[in-house]
Amino acid sequence: QVQLVESGGGLVQPGGSLRLSCAASGIIFSRYAMGWYRQAPGKQRELVAVISTDPSTNYADSVKGRFTISRDNAKNTVYLQMNSLKPEDTAVYYCNAKRVTTGWEFWGQGTQVTVSS
């Protein structure tokens, strides 16, 4: 059974930082591209950052220079370090695992991030 379990969300003031974690089980973690997506109320889910198996990274323009995605294959965990947070970063953040060669894709349950004073 595949599980992606996010943690690290919460309430933070503008300008603050949070670190999200996503622990994966039931997959060969090193063979999956890992991503973070977010969905704000009334909006579509959007890609925030993705880290491939090689491990190259890509970011949404709105978070470049503020967020950093990383992975630890030994711990089957992907991280999202979020700095200089803004109110518009408020959303539910979802972890995603995708194996490009097969199309297999899995989602976590999401963790709420709220940026407010």
PDB file of all heavy atoms in Angstrom, residues 12-26:
ATOM      1  N   VAL A  12       1.821  30.762  10.098  1.00  0.00           N
ATOM      2  CA  VAL A  12       3.063  31.517  10.178  1.00  0.00           C
ATOM      3  C   VAL A  12       2.796  32.947   9.745  1.00  0.00           C
ATOM      4  O   VAL A  12       1.908  33.196   8.915  1.00  0.00           O
ATOM      5  CB  VAL A  12       4.161  30.858   9.314  1.00  0.00           C
ATOM      6  CG1 VAL A  12       3.789  30.873   7.837  1.00  0.00           C
ATOM      7  CG2 VAL A  12       5.513  31.508   9.535  1.00  0.00           C
ATOM      8  N   GLN A  13       3.544  33.877  10.294  1.00  0.00           N
ATOM      9  CA  GLN A  13       3.393  35.283   9.920  1.00  0.00           C
ATOM     10  C   GLN A  13       4.075  35.556   8.577  1.00  0.00           C
ATOM     11  O   GLN A  13       5.020  34.850   8.199  1.00  0.00           O
ATOM     12  CB  GLN A  13       3.999  36.177  10.994  1.00  0.00           C
ATOM     13  CG  GLN A  13       3.237  36.154  12.307  1.00  0.00           C
ATOM     14  CD  GLN A  13       3.776  37.188  13.288  1.00  0.00           C
ATOM     15  OE1 GLN A  13       4.898  37.660  13.171  1.00  0.00           O
ATOM     16  NE2 GLN A  13       2.950  37.541  14.270  1.00  0.00           N
ATOM     17  N   PRO A  14       3.611  36.574   7.875  1.00  0.00           N
ATOM     18  CA  PRO A  14       4.304  36.959   6.631  1.00  0.00           C
ATOM     19  C   PRO A  14       5.780  37.197   6.879  1.00  0.00           C
ATOM     20  O   PRO A  14       6.166  37.802   7.887  1.00  0.00           O
ATOM     21  CB  PRO A  14       3.578  38.258   6.236  1.00  0.00           C
ATOM     22  CG  PRO A  14       2.210  38.104   6.809  1.00  0.00           C
ATOM     23  CD  PRO A  14       2.407  37.391   8.116  1.00  0.00           C
ATOM     24  N   GLY A  15       6.595  36.695   5.949  1.00  0.00           N
ATOM     25  CA  GLY A  15       8.035  36.787   6.105  1.00  0.00           C
ATOM     26  C   GLY A  15       8.660  35.624   6.828  1.00  0.00           C
ATOM     27  O   GLY A  15       9.887  35.486   6.857  1.00  0.00           O
ATOM     28  N   GLY A  16       7.837  34.771   7.399  1.00  0.00           N
ATOM     29  CA  GLY A  16       8.319  33.634   8.149  1.00  0.00           C
ATOM     30  C   GLY A  16       8.671  32.446   7.268  1.00  0.00           C
ATOM     31  O   GLY A  16       8.599  32.516   6.036  1.00  0.00           O
ATOM     32  N   SER A  17       9.033  31.352   7.925  1.00  0.00           N
ATOM     33  CA  SER A  17       9.473  30.144   7.220  1.00  0.00           C
ATOM     34  C   SER A  17       8.764  28.916   7.769  1.00  0.00           C
ATOM     35  O   SER A  17       8.366  28.877   8.941  1.00  0.00           O
ATOM     36  CB  SER A  17      10.985  29.950   7.385  1.00  0.00           C
ATOM     37  OG  SER A  17      11.721  31.008   6.813  1.00  0.00           O
ATOM     38  N   LEU A  18       8.617  27.935   6.903  1.00  0.00           N
ATOM     39  CA  LEU A  18       8.131  26.617   7.283  1.00  0.00           C
ATOM     40  C   LEU A  18       8.875  25.585   6.458  1.00  0.00           C
ATOM     41  O   LEU A  18       9.301  25.869   5.334  1.00  0.00           O
ATOM     42  CB  LEU A  18       6.632  26.459   7.011  1.00  0.00           C
ATOM     43  CG  LEU A  18       5.630  27.083   7.978  1.00  0.00           C
ATOM     44  CD1 LEU A  18       4.210  26.898   7.444  1.00  0.00           C
ATOM     45  CD2 LEU A  18       5.751  26.478   9.371  1.00  0.00           C
ATOM     46  N   ARG A  19       8.975  24.397   7.004  1.00  0.00           N
ATOM     47  CA  ARG A  19       9.561  23.283   6.270  1.00  0.00           C
ATOM     48  C   ARG A  19       8.562  22.142   6.234  1.00  0.00           C
ATOM     49  O   ARG A  19       8.206  21.604   7.281  1.00  0.00           O
ATOM     50  CB  ARG A  19      10.853  22.817   6.918  1.00  0.00           C
ATOM     51  CG  ARG A  19      11.622  21.779   6.094  1.00  0.00           C
ATOM     52  CD  ARG A  19      12.672  21.099   6.935  1.00  0.00           C
ATOM     53  NE  ARG A  19      13.674  20.400   6.132  1.00  0.00           N
ATOM     54  CZ  ARG A  19      14.416  19.413   6.612  1.00  0.00           C
ATOM     55  NH1 ARG A  19      14.277  19.019   7.862  1.00  0.00           N
ATOM     56  NH2 ARG A  19      15.318  18.824   5.834  1.00  0.00           N
ATOM     57  N   LEU A  20       8.124  21.793   5.050  1.00  0.00           N
ATOM     58  CA  LEU A  20       7.217  20.671   4.873  1.00  0.00           C
ATOM     59  C   LEU A  20       8.021  19.401   4.604  1.00  0.00           C
ATOM     60  O   LEU A  20       9.061  19.448   3.940  1.00  0.00           O
ATOM     61  CB  LEU A  20       6.259  20.910   3.716  1.00  0.00           C
ATOM     62  CG  LEU A  20       5.415  22.186   3.766  1.00  0.00           C
ATOM     63  CD1 LEU A  20       4.466  22.210   2.573  1.00  0.00           C
ATOM     64  CD2 LEU A  20       4.658  22.303   5.062  1.00  0.00           C
ATOM     65  N   SER A  21       7.503  18.295   5.101  1.00  0.00           N
ATOM     66  CA  SER A  21       8.096  16.989   4.844  1.00  0.00           C
ATOM     67  C   SER A  21       7.038  16.056   4.287  1.00  0.00           C
ATOM     68  O   SER A  21       5.852  16.187   4.613  1.00  0.00           O
ATOM     69  CB  SER A  21       8.666  16.390   6.130  1.00  0.00           C
ATOM     70  OG  SER A  21       9.666  17.202   6.685  1.00  0.00           O
ATOM     71  N   CYS A  22       7.474  15.126   3.469  1.00  0.00           N
ATOM     72  CA  CYS A  22       6.577  14.099   2.934  1.00  0.00           C
ATOM     73  C   CYS A  22       7.316  12.770   2.987  1.00  0.00           C
ATOM     74  O   CYS A  22       8.304  12.581   2.271  1.00  0.00           O
ATOM     75  CB  CYS A  22       6.159  14.429   1.521  1.00  0.00           C
ATOM     76  SG  CYS A  22       5.255  13.108   0.673  1.00  0.00           S
ATOM     77  N   ALA A  23       6.832  11.893   3.836  1.00  0.00           N
ATOM     78  CA  ALA A  23       7.434  10.576   3.983  1.00  0.00           C
ATOM     79  C   ALA A  23       6.666   9.568   3.134  1.00  0.00           C
ATOM     80  O   ALA A  23       5.438   9.450   3.266  1.00  0.00           O
ATOM     81  CB  ALA A  23       7.422  10.155   5.446  1.00  0.00           C
ATOM     82  N   ALA A  24       7.386   8.859   2.288  1.00  0.00           N
ATOM     83  CA  ALA A  24       6.761   7.906   1.370  1.00  0.00           C
ATOM     84  C   ALA A  24       7.020   6.474   1.813  1.00  0.00           C
ATOM     85  O   ALA A  24       8.088   6.154   2.341  1.00  0.00           O
ATOM     86  CB  ALA A  24       7.295   8.108  -0.040  1.00  0.00           C
ATOM     87  N   SER A  25       6.035   5.631   1.586  1.00  0.00           N
ATOM     88  CA  SER A  25       6.192   4.201   1.828  1.00  0.00           C
ATOM     89  C   SER A  25       5.415   3.436   0.765  1.00  0.00           C
ATOM     90  O   SER A  25       4.464   3.963   0.169  1.00  0.00           O
ATOM     91  CB  SER A  25       5.706   3.814   3.218  1.00  0.00           C
ATOM     92  OG  SER A  25       4.345   4.139   3.387  1.00  0.00           O
ATOM     93  N   GLY A  26       5.855   2.212   0.500  1.00  0.00           N
ATOM     94  CA  GLY A  26       5.161   1.390  -0.482  1.00  0.00           C
ATOM     95  C   GLY A  26       5.605   1.606  -1.912  1.00  0.00           C
ATOM     96  O   GLY A  26       5.003   1.030  -2.832  1.00  0.00           O
TER      97      GLY A  26
END
